[in-house]
Amino acid sequence: MAQTQQPILSPHLPWKVRLLLSIHSFAVNNSLNSNGTVNRTFLNLFDLKSSPSKNPINGVKSFDITVDPSRELWFRLYTPATTTTTATSLPIIFYFHGGGFILMAANSKPFDKFCRRLAREIPSIIVSVNYRLAPEHKYPCQYEDGFDVLKFIDEENLEQFPQNANLKQCFLAGDSAGGNIAHHVALKASESKFLKLQVIGLIALQPFFGGEERTESENKLDRAPVIKVEHTDWFWKAFLPEGSNRDHATANVFGPNSVDISRVNFPATIVFVGGFDPLQDWQKKYYEGLHRAGKEAYLIEYENAIHSFYVFPDFPEHSLMIREVRDFMQKQSCK
């Protein structure tokens, strides 16, 4: 009798990556409590942080700037060290880190390194937003924090901002839950008036969307590296308003309760998808929904990429993604 071939749940991963992912899984599995709370003390043992550096690290300087101390809202500003007042103007990326709305921070080491690389290789100025986390702060706190950082930079004259920062070439970007935040901040920004700032593009790295339906990729890749369905369900319950399900318009943005965006001046969007990401079907639905709404959208698929591939520079997809982001930004900036 022929044996049923088991699906491949992961590409070949270097041992260092496997070790880091095992530590991550251990930390998450032992931090999410059944009563809907998070053991932050335990989780923070594994969430190593990086300090800002006025002295360039790999060609990039960074500063932390407070927006609202009452809610601990701040951002880390990354500027290429070669930036001068006479240099060519640089676009600005407002970056929202991933972590299921629950985990990590703007100064977590993986995101600090990633933002430095974006600043150096695009090149661009990065505003990495440290938004409030669920379940202590549920929806819509994260969206409010993101939008308020846009308004803060639009209205304030910051000494740390290089003079060649081009506020007419702003992009919203985020990975996983940060991609979800970027989408909703873009919606709010499209309905708002700014003094100087203009959002012209959205960069969604494996954005975190969902719904009550179980997709093929969720069923097939439930035991893939980094993220599991039981965790995504937990994240949604911790983030969404009490009594809501995953078809809430926040999660299922083109689902039964969604808002029509066909008449919204939504920015051009590039969506990155990985072949070993359980969330990939929702990400493709997002791309298709943008197209149906008449929006400019691009889909980039890496068949061997796991969720969060972008924080591992050794993966070939990491450099490919940087190149795609650069080309997308240049295209939008030249319009």
Side-chain angles (χ1 to χ4, degrees):
M1 182 180 293
Q3 293 183 340
T4 303
Q5 187 174 5
Q6 296 296 316
I8 300 174
L9 300 181
S10 172
H12 173 72
L13 300 174
W15 71 267
K16 288 184 178 179
V17 173
R18 295 200 306 272
L19 176 61
L20 289 172
L21 294 181
S22 296
I23 294 172
H24 171 80
S25 295
F26 175 78
V28 172
N29 288 336
N30 290 279
S31 299
L32 307 183
N33 301 322
S34 59
N35 64 357
T37 62
V38 176
N39 187 339
R40 294 256 174 237
T41 302
F42 180 78
L43 190 61
N44 288 338
L45 294 175
F46 301 89
D47 184 11
L48 302 180
K49 301 296 199 296
S50 294
S51 299
S53 177
K54 294 181 180 180
N55 296 317
I57 297 177
N58 294 328
V60 177
K61 299 180 289 185
S62 61
F63 311 86
D64 287 349
I65 298 174
T66 298
V67 177
D68 183 354
S70 69
R71 51 179 154 152
E72 297 184 1
L73 176 59
W74 56 272
F75 63 86
R76 180 160 292 181
L77 177 68
Y78 298 87
T79 61
T82 55
T83 298
T84 66
T85 56
T86 59
T88 303
S89 68
L90 293 178
I92 302 169
I93 298 176
F94 290 84
Y95 192 83
F96 303 96
H97 69 81
F101 308 104
I102 312 293
L103 315 171
M104 314 290 276
N107 57 351
S108 295
K109 277 187 177 294
F111 295 118
D112 181 74
K113 291 181 179 179
F114 180 54
C115 286
R116 286 184 185 280
R117 186 165 187 183
L118 284 176
R120 182 176 68 252
E121 297 193 16
I122 296 299
S124 62
I125 294 162
I126 310 294
V127 175
S128 183
V129 181
N130 194 72
Y131 55 85
R132 289 170 290 178
L133 299 176
E136 297 89 343
H137 304 281
K138 286 178 172 284
Y139 159 90
C141 293
Q142 293 73 14
Y143 305 155
E144 293 171 346
D145 290 350
F147 181 76
D148 286 349
V149 170
L150 265 68
K151 292 293 288 183
F152 179 82
I153 289 178
D154 183 56
E155 296 170 359
E156 299 290 332
N157 293 314
L158 301 176
E159 292 182 3
Q160 296 92 336
F161 243 71
Q163 293 183 19
N164 64 336
N166 192 337
L167 287 167
K168 297 300 183 184
Q169 294 180 0
C170 291
F171 294 80
L172 304 182
D175 68 280
S176 196
N180 178 295
I181 295 171
H183 168 83
H184 288 284
V185 172
L187 274 179
K188 189 170 179 61
S190 68
E191 300 168 348
S192 305
K193 291 184 178 180
F194 295 97
L195 299 175
K196 300 170 288 185
L197 185 149
Q198 184 176 353
V199 176
I200 64 172
L202 193 159
I203 302 157
L205 300 171
Q206 299 179 299
F208 185 26
F209 298 112
E212 285 298 294
E213 170 195 358
R214 280 286 181 250
T215 65
E216 180 181 351
S217 64
E218 285 177 313
N219 289 324
K220 179 182 177 181
L221 297 169
D222 184 38
R223 296 297 160 186
V226 183
I227 194 165
K228 297 176 173 54
V229 170
E230 64 181 294
H231 290 157
T232 59
D233 285 354
W234 196 101
F235 293 156
W236 286 124
K237 188 174 182 180
F239 170 68
L240 292 171
E242 293 293 338
S244 300
N245 64 24
R246 295 188 302 275
D247 278 336
H248 189 281
T250 293
N252 196 349
V253 293
F254 291 110
N257 303 310
S258 63
V259 177
D260 179 16
I261 67 168
S262 59
R263 297 184 180 181
V264 174
N265 186 24
F266 197 79
T269 303
I270 185 169
V271 184
F272 290 87
V273 174
F276 286 95
D277 183 357
L279 300 176
Q280 64 181 282
D281 285 348
W282 288 112
Q283 294 153 5
K284 293 174 184 177
K285 286 175 183 287
Y286 174 60
Y287 162 76
E288 292 163 0
L290 290 173
H291 258 295
R292 286 196 305 272
K295 307 308 173 188
E296 182 181 352
Y298 305 91
L299 180 68
I300 307 297
E301 297 186 66
Y302 300 131
E303 62 178 1
N304 290 320
I306 63 173
H307 193 76
S308 300
F309 73 90
Y310 36 82
V311 298
F312 297 103
D314 291 339
F315 286 175
E317 294 85 358
H318 181 101
S319 295
L320 293 173
M321 178 272 300
I322 294 282
R323 190 180 312 151
E324 291 283 359
V325 169
R326 185 191 304 119
D327 290 347
F328 170 76
M329 292 177 62
Q330 289 176 348
K331 179 179 179 179
Q332 301 307 317
S333 298
C334 290
K335 287 184 176 181

